[in-house]
């Protein structure tokens, strides 16, 4: 636990005033993933070992520089949860054998991008959940293989232009519902977060810190480089992802999904889309009404269902 | 053989610059190699790209260690050792710097014997959105310096290499590049070809027998916390956020929390920006509710700093 | 101490048990599965401490083994063939973590076509990954080698993971007498693992296996791993010597059998080498000056011992149970590398490829191999590589091909059938 956090976080005034993670990382200026990681690390603190999979954040630690005040192990793209398994089991064995004390115990945290989380690493993640591994999984989701130049991944939203979907309609697939896939394993906790909503993020991390078992986090990570927007807009775009309803903030505990922030008056999705170069083809040279309507309709139908469910309660 | 190296920042189009120049040489009938060199760094971080051109097939490969022409798209990189701008520069190298400062100033500051030419684009690129034009502009100037690339070949190369970016971008780049081409008319053909290492007398490579060191030393592991603070990512910055403390409402958390790099520390409710590490994303500028943070071009900020320091000294 | 009948898989399980392992990440694959089944049963019955976890793939299994070892506990794992290859990315990765553990590989031919029977292409695919390799010829050796492997990998001069290799079926499922050392002396020999700075601990932050930029640092870390592997040569000899003194069984880095005075030598790896021993005995009865040399340690490669053992011979037959497509036998290439440029008369070094996918080697074939190298030595001409394959085997495959093509042949009015036979 971070020593900087001593009391429960109830309001933004309880948020730490200074981030714990070291400065000087090679992440892009305005990285929404790093912003989320800062908020997460503030709460989890230095008694952690981050088990990393191939992705942008591989480069957080480049010899001899690391921003972590605790520990880190780089594994490979597919198997970070298995790396977490080995460390968690080893720490438990060392504790059982009294070779270490609980003071030396660590929270094991997997850190992967969406490429690993939605694709190559999904089987290892599923395995870790089915074994009820006591760990935290953080996916920074920038909706594409960002570290290689933003090709589409299983997390890429419909119609987004990526380095491998440059056509007039962009990516023809649909963003995979990883939240539900994870929740179907019935782990201790699943939540979506975003750096642009630091209080919600902090509260969720604080909540999961008190739990055991698989605790899964997806952080939507606005990406100036991959999404093509001015880095200063990172937080603004994150806020629009919430206000438009594109990125629902929710959590799953004990079979139940709760939305932690419901955008009562949603702004049109195009407010969110039009700020990003990856969706420019929906607006220029001519508006692609069909695609815009489709994206809006999918968001509307998601929230209609949520509102219905709420009304029925 | 021509050996030409472009230095700039991620996002300034150095790869594109090297490709345009490579294509232009190729169109003039040369054998060509061009390549970017990527590191772990991102937009704003120092990167370089290089071009070789010769009348016969090129056997050399890899980084150019003995450049005939070095183009610096961003003069703030010159004093940064990690950027490697000065690597291999000798008296015969021509140094082309995009800068608002005089040639004599650079020659004096760097204690250079080599010729220095200035390309002044700072004004034009104060807006980040225009950064990509720097690359094409630098290429325009360097094409003229070779003395063997016609403006027709330059234009065609730009059209080919930027074809995906659409007419507006191409025209803007063409305009800048051809203007830079014209601006170097007096220095047409100024590049001279460097000498090659001789097999008769050469600097010994200094090989050693690598000694065994046990895993406690020789594993790629870091045994200290937060060493990344040694990396001065503030060097990536092209725009500097400056806090007006008269306007700051001492909200305690907004700029510090949102800063993706953790480069704003709040002490006694007063935010302090760590310029050694601020990459200049300007999220703080966009988010500050009382608009207490303003962005100014980094070069301007540095000039102001220098003035202040001089003032203090006086 | 107890002498009993054990399969190779059971011997491997006993090796892990006697080495007092803490942790066993596992994944089933034929012909290895019995190892993890035995260990799992012992742990479930309380006969041995430790924890066994079945991962969802060998890739994950090797990752978990490496990360547990990097946390400072004694770790064991086992796999075979496709599993070893599925984990290949992680074999390279975890060896760079410089945290020791032992992995048993039960050799099995690789797909395609798929087979369950043994050859050494799987283990040779892992030749360059940074794991040391010990190749076993008997069930006893498997148990002993696992104990030695922990000492070797954990040695401060080495600090690398080790693979102990056995042949599927020929050892894995074959029972033979094995001496099981008593727990106390085995544990005394293996000792406790002092992980020193190998840990993940709140009081000592560590960032492990980080990226490097540039070829200079990369070369340093990679070459240091190579130097550590090379240190394994001296470390192995010391450890094997101590093992011999304590348990009375000698497992030198290279086994030589009737080789001291021999003009001719067979060179082989693994369990098939005992067949070569049998052939040596019978050839010697007929007056042949012949012996066997069997590298037990393959990584690090005991080049100087082999140079010494193979010097001044007339002819050497290298029998590879693997094939590097487009090149030939891997052990043959490695020996040629070791021998090239040595002073003195160069022996004939002939290549034979045999026992692919468990194909047996008949004793007569060893006799014939001896004859081939003898003739080569007298003519001075090295024979071309020889696949051990008989006319009868070709006839058998023709029959299978005829069946495989039956439907097409019917469509072709049986014309293809004749064509098939003519080939």
């Amino acid at each position: 636990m971070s020593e900087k956090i001593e009391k429960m976080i109830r309001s933004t005034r309880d948020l730490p005033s200074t981030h714990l993670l070291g400065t000087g990382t090679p992440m892009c200026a305005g990285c929404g993933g790093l912003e989320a990681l800062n908020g997460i690390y503030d709460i989890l603190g230095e008694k952690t070992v981050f088990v990393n999979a191939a992705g942008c954040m591989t480069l957080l630690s480049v010899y001899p520089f690391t921003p972590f005040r605790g520990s880190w192990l780089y594994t490979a793209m597919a198997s970070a949860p298995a790396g977490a398994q080995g460390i968690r089991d080893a720490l438990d064995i060392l504790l059982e054998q009294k070779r270490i004390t609980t003071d030396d115990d660590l929270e094991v945290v997997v850190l992967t991008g969406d490429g690993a989380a939605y694709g190559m690493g999904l089987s290892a993640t599923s395995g870790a959940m089915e074994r009820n591994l006591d760990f935290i999984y953080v996916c920074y989701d920038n909706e594409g293989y960002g570290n290689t130049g933003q090709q589409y991944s299983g997390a890429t939203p419909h119609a987004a232009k990526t380095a491998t979907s440059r056509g007039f309609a962009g990516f023809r697939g649909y963003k995979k519902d990883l939240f539900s896939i994870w929740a179907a394993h019935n782990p201790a906790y699943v939540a979506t977060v975003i750096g642009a909503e630091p209080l919600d993020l902090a509260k969720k991390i604080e909540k999961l810190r008190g739990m055991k078992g698989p605790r899964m986090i997806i952080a939507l990570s606005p990406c100036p480089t991959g999404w093509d927007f001015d880095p200063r807009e990172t937080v603004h775009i994150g806020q629009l992802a919430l206000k438009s309803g594109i990125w629902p903030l929710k959590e799953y505990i004990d079979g139940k999904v709760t939305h932690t922030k419901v955008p009562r008056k949603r702004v049109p999705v195009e407010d969110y889309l039009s700020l990003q170069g990856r969706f420019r083809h929906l607006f220029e040279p001519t508006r692609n009404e069909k695609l815009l309507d489709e994206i809006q309709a999918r968001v509307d139908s998601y929230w209609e269902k949520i509102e219905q469910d709420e009304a029925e309660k | 053989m021509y050996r030409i190296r472009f230095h700039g920042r991620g996002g300034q189009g150095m790869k594109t610059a090297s490709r345009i120049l490579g294509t232009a040489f190729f169109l003039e009938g040369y054998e060509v190699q061009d390549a970017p060199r990527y590191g772990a760094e991102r937009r704003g971080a120092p990167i370089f790209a290089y071009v070789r051109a010769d009348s016969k097939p090129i056997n050399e490969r890899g980084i150019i260690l003995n450049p005939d022409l070095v183009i610096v798209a961003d003069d703030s990189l010159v004093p940064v050792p990690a950027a490697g701008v000065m690597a291999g520069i000798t008296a015969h190298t021509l140094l082309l710097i995009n800068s608002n400062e005089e040639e004599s100033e650079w020659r004096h500051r760097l204690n250079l014997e080599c010729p220095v030419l200035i390309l002044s684009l700072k004004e034009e690129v104060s807006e980040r959105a225009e950064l990509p034009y720097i690359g094409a502009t630098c290429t325009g100037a360097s094409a003229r310096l070779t003395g063997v690339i016609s403006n027709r070949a330059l234009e065609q190369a730009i059209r080919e290499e930027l074809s995906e970016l659409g007419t507006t971008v191409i025209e803007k780049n063409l305009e800048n590049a051809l203007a830079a081409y014209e601006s170097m008319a007096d220095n047409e053909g100024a590049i001279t070809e460097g000498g090659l290492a001789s097999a008769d007398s050469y600097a010994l490579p200094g090989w050693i027998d690598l000694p065994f060191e046990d895993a406690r030393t020789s594993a790629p592991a870091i045994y200290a916390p937060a060493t990344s603070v040694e990396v001065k990512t503030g060097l990536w910055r092209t725009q500097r956020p400056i806090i007006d403390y008269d306007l700051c409402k001492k909200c305690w958390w907004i700029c510090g929390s949102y800063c993706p790099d953790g480069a704003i520390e709040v002490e006694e409710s007063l935010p302090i920006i760590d310029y050694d590490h601020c990459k200049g994303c300007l999220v703080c500028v966009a988010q500050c509710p009382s608009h207490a943070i303003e962005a100014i071009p980094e070069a301007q900020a540095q000039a102001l700093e220098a003035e202040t320091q001089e003032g203090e000294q006086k | 101490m107890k002498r009993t009948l054990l399969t190779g898989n059971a011997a491997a399980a006993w090796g892990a048990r006697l080495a007092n392992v803490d942790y066993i990440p596992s994944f089933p694959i034929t012909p290895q599965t019995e190892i993890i089944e035995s260990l799992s049963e012992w742990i479930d019955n309380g006969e041995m401490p430790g924890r066994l976890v079945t991962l969802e793939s060998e890739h994950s299994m090797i990752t978990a083994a490496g990360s547990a070892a990097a946390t400072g506990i004694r770790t064991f794992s086992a796999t075979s063939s496709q599993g070893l290859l599925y984990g290949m990315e992680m074999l390279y990765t975890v060896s760079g973590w410089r945290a020791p553990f032992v992995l048993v590989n039960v050799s099995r031919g690789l797909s395609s076509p798929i087979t369950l029977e043994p050859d050494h292409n799987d283990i040779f695919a892992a030749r360059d990954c940074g794991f040391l390799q010990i190749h076993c010829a008997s069930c006893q050796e498997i148990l002993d080698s696992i104990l030695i492997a922990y000492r070797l990998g954990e040695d401060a001069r080495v600090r690398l993971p080790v693979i102990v290799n056995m042949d599927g079926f020929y050892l894995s499922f074959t029972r033979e007498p094995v001496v099981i050392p008593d727990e106390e002396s085995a544990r005394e020999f293996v000792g406790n693992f002092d992980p020193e700075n190998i840990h993940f601990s709140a009081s000592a932050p560590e960032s492990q296996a980080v990226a490097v930029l540039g070829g200079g640092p990369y070369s340093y870390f990679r070459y240091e791993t190579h130097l550590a592997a090379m240190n394994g040569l001296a470390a192995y000899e010391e450890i094997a010597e101590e093992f011999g003194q304590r348990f009375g069984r000698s497992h030198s880095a290279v086994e030589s059998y009737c080789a001291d005075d021999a003009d001719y030598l067979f060179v082989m790896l693994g369990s098939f080498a005992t067949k070569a021993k049998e052939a040596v005995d019978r050839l010697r009865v007929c007056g042949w000056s012949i012996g066997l040399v069997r590298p037990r340690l393959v990584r690090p490669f005991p080049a100087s011992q082999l140079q010494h053992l193979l010097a001044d011979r007339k002819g050497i037959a290298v029998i590879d149970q693997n094939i590097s497509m487009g090149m030939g036998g891997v052990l043959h290439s490695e020996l040629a590398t070791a021998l090239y440029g040595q002073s003195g008369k160069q022996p004939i070094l002939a290549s034979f490829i045999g026992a692919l996918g468990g194909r047996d080697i008949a004793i007569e074939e060893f006799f014939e191999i001896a004859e081939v190298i003898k003739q080569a030595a007298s003519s001075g001409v090295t024979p071309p590589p020889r696949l051990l394959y008989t006319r009868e085997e070709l006839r058998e495959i023709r029959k299978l091909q005829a069946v495989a093509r039956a439907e097409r042949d019917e469509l072709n009015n049986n014309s293809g059938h004749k064509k098939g036979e003519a080939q």
Side-chain angles (χ1 to χ4, degrees):
Chain A
M1 178 179 93
S2 166
E3 285 165 14
K4 290 180 194 272
I5 307 284
E6 283 151 2
K7 53 184 177 191
M8 286 289 288
I9 289 172
R10 293 200 174 78
S11 77
T12 47
R13 287 199 72 84
D14 300 325
L15 291 171
S17 60
T18 301
H19 291 308
L20 186 64
L21 198 70
T23 51
T25 69
M27 298 299 105
C28 299
C31 173
L34 187 59
E35 182 172 61
L37 180 63
N38 265 312
I40 292 165
Y41 201 62
D42 284 339
I43 312 285
L44 294 179
E46 59 273 337
K47 276 189 77 174
T48 42
V49 51
F50 276 73
V51 186
N52 193 265
C56 290
M57 291 199 187
T58 298
L59 296 173
L60 280 179
S61 293
V62 177
Y63 193 84
F65 305 115
T66 180
F68 291 95
R69 293 177 196 277
S71 291
W72 147 289
L73 173 68
Y74 175 74
T75 55
M77 191 152 184
S79 61
Q85 180 87 44
I87 296 177
R88 182 65 264 157
D89 287 342
L91 289 169
D92 287 345
I93 288 165
L94 290 169
L95 285 165
E96 271 166 31
Q97 296 177 354
K98 301 199 182 345
R99 287 162 66 190
I100 60 168
T101 64
T102 49
D103 286 346
D104 266 335
D105 193 16
L106 297 164
E107 185 85 79
V108 185
V109 188
V110 164
L111 180 64
T112 82
D114 53 281
Y118 284 71
M120 198 192 270
L122 191 49
S123 137
T125 313
S126 173
M129 283 191 280
E130 85 202 18
R131 294 185 298 269
N132 199 34
L133 179 64
D134 183 24
F135 80 129
I136 297 167
Y137 189 127
V138 176
C139 163
Y140 53 96
D141 178 358
N142 75 334
E143 307 194 318
Y145 295 108
N147 203 35
T148 47
Q150 199 71 4
Q151 298 76 25
Y152 67 77
S153 76
T156 301
H158 190 55
K161 185 177 163 183
T162 70
T164 44
S165 59
R166 293 171 189 263
F168 69 94
F171 179 57
R172 287 170 190 272
Y174 293 87
K175 186 176 178 74
K176 204 186 277 182
D177 184 1
L178 188 61
F179 180 92
S180 299
I181 293 169
W182 280 355
H185 290 74
N186 195 25
Y189 189 70
V190 187
T192 58
V193 299
I194 191 162
E197 197 54 52
L199 184 60
D200 177 81
L201 182 150
K203 283 178 174 171
K204 283 171 175 165
I205 304 302
E206 198 174 54
K207 183 185 277 180
L208 67 79
R209 212 182 57 188
M211 299 175 160
K212 289 274 173 200
R215 290 152 288 163
M216 320 294 291
I217 293 287
I218 315 172
L220 184 70
S221 303
C223 172
T225 313
W227 298 6
D228 189 12
F229 61 81
D230 190 304
R232 76 171 74 196
E233 302 294 342
T234 288
V235 173
H236 185 209
I237 284 176
Q239 288 160 342
L240 284 169
L242 302 181
K243 286 182 190 163
S244 64
I246 283 249
W247 187 247
L249 290 177
K250 52 187 171 179
E251 60 186 10
Y252 167 95
I253 308 173
D254 285 339
K256 212 177 107 203
V257 176
T258 313
H259 284 74
T260 55
K261 220 171 162 65
V262 180
R264 292 296 167 196
K265 271 197 156 181
R266 292 194 307 277
V267 302
V269 289
E270 68 170 275
D271 288 10
Y272 168 74
L273 303 174
S274 61
L275 286 178
Q276 305 172 45
R278 64 174 174 159
F279 293 113
R280 194 166 295 136
H281 58 288
L282 300 183
F283 303 94
E284 292 171 16
T286 50
R287 282 174 63 90
N288 190 332
E289 297 292 354
K290 189 168 162 278
L291 264 177
L292 286 168
D293 288 350
E294 189 194 333
I295 295 168
Q296 185 66 60
R298 289 179 77 88
V299 171
D300 291 346
S301 106
Y302 177 90
W303 288 105
E304 271 159 30
K305 191 173 176 310
I306 301 307
E307 280 152 16
Q308 253 173 29
D309 289 353
E310 273 190 11
E312 280 167 21
K313 272 175 207 161
Chain B
M1 187 194 305
Y2 293 100
R3 297 176 181 83
I4 296 169
R5 214 166 62 204
F6 289 89
H7 291 267
R9 296 176 179 279
Q12 288 178 334
M14 291 303 100
K15 177 183 172 185
T16 309
S18 70
R19 289 176 64 109
I20 294 170
L21 190 64
T23 299
F25 268 120
F26 188 67
L27 291 169
E28 294 290 1
Y30 281 80
E31 297 293 317
V32 167
Q33 256 185 22
D34 62 58
R37 191 74 177 187
Y38 301 116
E41 293 81 6
R42 310 303 166 94
R43 182 142 69 173
I47 67 144
F48 67 94
Y50 53 85
V51 180
R52 288 187 177 89
D54 204 351
S55 53
K56 55 184 192 295
I58 298 167
N59 288 322
E60 275 186 13
R61 287 200 184 281
I63 296 167
I64 289 175
L65 300 172
N66 48 344
D68 306 319
L69 171 63
V70 170
I71 299 125
V72 189
D74 188 320
D75 63 355
S76 65
L77 292 173
V78 176
V80 180
V85 172
M86 301 306 293
I89 289 185
T90 64
H92 106 274
T93 312
L94 181 60
L95 190 58
L96 176 67
I97 310 180
N98 169 26
S99 177
N100 284 335
E101 290 181 90
E102 300 285 316
E103 172 214 332
S104 53
E105 174 63 25
W106 283 108
R107 196 189 297 282
H108 168 72
R109 200 183 296 172
L110 301 172
N111 194 19
L112 288 172
E113 289 174 34
C114 68
V116 177
L117 290 171
I118 299 295
L119 189 66
S120 189
L121 304 174
K122 280 285 177 189
E123 297 302 314
E124 285 179 58
V125 293
S126 58
E127 277 304 308
R128 183 154 36 201
E130 290 190 8
L131 284 178
Y133 299 127
I134 300 179
T137 312
C138 289
T139 308
S142 53
R144 193 63 175 272
L145 297 176
T146 67
V148 297
I149 295 173
S150 66
N151 54 4
R152 269 199 11 255
L154 176 66
E155 181 175 340
Q156 194 182 334
I158 289 171
R159 290 193 189 281
E160 281 183 21
E161 293 304 323
L162 303 183
S163 61
E164 279 188 18
L165 300 181
T167 323
T168 322
V169 177
I170 291 177
E171 293 308 323
K172 175 85 178 159
N173 273 286
L174 266 179
E175 185 190 319
N176 289 339
L178 291 170
Y181 185 87
E182 287 314 313
S183 76
M184 289 293 147
D186 293 345
N187 297 295
E188 179 160 4
I191 305 176
T192 55
E193 209 171 312
L196 294 174
S198 159
D200 284 334
S201 70
Y202 59 93
L204 292 173
W207 288 339
I208 51 138
D209 293 328
L210 187 66
F212 167 73
E213 286 164 350
D214 75 30
R216 283 168 300 187
T217 309
S218 67
I222 305 164
Y223 300 103
T227 50
S228 62
V229 298
E230 301 286 329
V231 184
K232 306 297 184 218
T233 42
L235 293 167
W236 301 13
R237 197 170 54 239
T238 54
Q239 297 271 302
R240 178 185 293 200
I242 292 174
I243 301 172
D244 182 340
Y245 289 102
D246 293 336
L247 293 177
C248 173
K249 293 276 198 307
K250 304 179 180 49
C251 73
W252 165 266
W253 71 279
I254 291 180
C255 56
S257 266
Y258 284 139
C259 175
D261 282 287
I264 302 181
E265 190 157 348
V266 184
E267 278 176 15
E268 309 281 324
S269 288
L270 273 187
I272 299 164
I273 299 176
D274 167 8
Y275 290 117
D276 280 348
H277 297 104
C278 162
K279 292 169 185 161
C281 69
L282 309 185
V283 162
C284 56
V285 174
Q287 288 302 314
C288 176
S290 54
H291 306 290
I293 312 177
E294 174 194 34
I296 63 169
E298 182 62 20
Q300 195 185 322
Q302 283 176 11
L304 279 172
E305 255 177 2
E307 272 175 38
T308 317
Q309 273 172 12
E310 265 176 43
E312 279 168 6
Q313 278 164 10
K314 279 171 193 166
Chain C
M1 193 181 89
K2 184 172 122 186
R3 192 161 187 268
T4 187
L5 287 175
L6 291 183
T7 62
N9 281 341
W14 268 103
R17 176 171 167 169
L18 292 173
N20 209 12
V21 301
D22 297 310
Y23 186 50
I24 306 158
S26 67
F27 192 81
I29 182 170
T30 304
Q32 167 281 122
T33 311
E34 283 178 354
I35 300 175
I36 57 167
E37 282 178 348
S38 303
L39 289 167
S40 174
E41 193 183 343
W42 288 334
I43 291 169
D44 287 346
N45 294 342
E47 288 175 66
M48 74 174 272
R51 184 181 291 200
L52 182 142
V53 174
T54 301
L55 279 294
E56 72 293 330
S57 75
E58 290 89 352
H59 188 276
S60 280
M61 177 187 87
I62 307 279
T63 308
S67 63
T71 312
I73 59 168
R74 193 171 273 161
T75 304
F76 175 84
S77 192
T79 189
S80 171
S81 187
Q82 305 299 122
L84 190 73
L85 265 72
Y86 197 68
M88 186 63 71
E89 179 192 24
M90 297 318 294
L91 293 181
Y92 276 76
T93 303
V94 302
S95 72
W97 298 355
R98 303 299 304 276
F101 69 96
V102 173
L103 173 70
V104 164
N105 182 60
V106 183
S107 266
R108 174 185 134 187
L110 293 171
S111 188
S112 289
I114 196 158
T115 180
L116 295 176
E117 302 218 31
D119 68 34
H120 294 160
N121 260 109
D122 58 355
I123 187 67
F124 271 117
R127 183 184 66 169
D128 306 328
C129 69
F131 278 62
L132 308 190
Q133 288 191 7
I134 302 173
H135 288 235
C136 302
S138 69
C139 296
Q140 182 71 61
E141 221 178 294
I142 296 163
L143 191 159
D144 294 351
S145 295
I146 290 170
L147 303 181
I148 290 171
Y150 277 102
R151 285 282 303 276
L152 179 63
E154 291 169 5
D155 192 293
R157 293 165 288 182
V158 178
R159 284 286 164 101
L160 285 170
V162 184
I163 294 176
V164 173
N165 199 62
M166 72 167 102
D167 291 312
F169 291 81
Y170 286 82
L171 289 182
S172 69
F173 297 156
T174 303
R175 291 206 311 165
E176 57 190 29
V178 173
V179 175
I180 304 173
D182 59 69
E183 282 191 10
E184 202 174 317
S185 53
R187 281 173 196 177
E188 255 176 48
F189 171 75
V190 180
N192 287 324
F193 176 37
D194 175 10
E196 294 186 52
N197 68 337
I198 300 177
H199 55 63
F200 286 109
S201 159
S203 58
E206 174 176 349
S207 291
Q208 172 74 267
V210 297
V212 294
L213 293 178
Y218 184 80
S219 299
Y220 169 82
F221 291 119
R222 294 289 285 170
Y223 205 78
E224 286 294 342
T225 306
H226 167 66
L227 292 175
M230 293 305 284
N231 284 344
L233 287 167
Y236 182 91
E237 287 301 345
E238 284 170 31
I239 295 160
E241 171 77 24
E242 190 190 321
F243 185 92
Q245 281 169 5
R246 183 182 287 269
F247 298 104
R249 290 185 294 278
S250 157
H251 296 300
S252 61
V254 183
E255 180 190 19
S256 77
Y257 179 74
C258 299
D260 289 352
D261 64 341
D263 290 332
Y264 301 98
L265 291 174
F266 297 121
V267 184
M268 293 188 78
L269 298 174
S271 64
F272 277 51
T274 60
K275 292 166 175 282
K277 270 188 193 175
E278 181 65 22
V280 165
D281 288 347
R282 297 204 212 168
L283 284 161
R284 286 215 164 232
V285 169
C286 298
W288 278 74
S289 172
I290 193 161
L292 164 76
V293 165
R294 175 176 70 92
R296 184 179 275 117
L297 199 58
V298 170
R299 282 294 179 273
F301 194 63
S304 66
Q305 277 160 284
L306 288 164
Q307 284 157 1
H308 175 73
L309 278 165
L310 304 184
D312 298 323
R313 310 294 181 167
K314 289 182 179 164
I316 295 162
V318 186
I319 304 166
D320 268 291
Q321 288 164 254
N322 65 76
I323 182 157
S324 167
M325 304 299 174
M327 178 60 189
V330 175
L331 183 60
H332 179 261
S333 299
E334 298 225 324
L335 280 173
T337 305
L339 294 181
Y340 184 84
Q342 296 298 299
S343 58
K345 193 170 175 294
Q346 289 286 324
I348 290 288
L349 191 69
S351 174
F352 298 86
I353 309 283
L356 296 183
R359 188 265 190 200
D360 210 346
I361 302 179
I363 192 132
E364 294 81 0
E365 293 186 299
F366 284 102
F367 301 159
E368 186 64 12
I369 289 168
E371 196 58 42
V372 169
I373 55 170
K374 189 179 191 179
Q375 282 172 21
S378 75
S379 70
V381 179
T382 303
R386 155 71 65 196
L387 175 72
L388 306 185
Y389 203 76
T390 64
R391 192 171 295 115
E392 182 54 33
E393 285 175 295
L394 186 63
R395 251 199 296 277
E396 285 302 316
I397 189 75
R398 288 287 178 254
K399 285 185 203 160
L400 301 180
Q401 284 172 327
V403 176
R405 281 197 300 240
E407 194 183 337
R408 197 182 66 188
D409 286 351
E410 277 169 23
L411 291 173
N412 294 344
N413 300 326
N414 293 327
S415 61
H417 187 65
K418 277 180 190 161
K419 200 173 151 199
E421 274 191 345
Q423 272 170 354

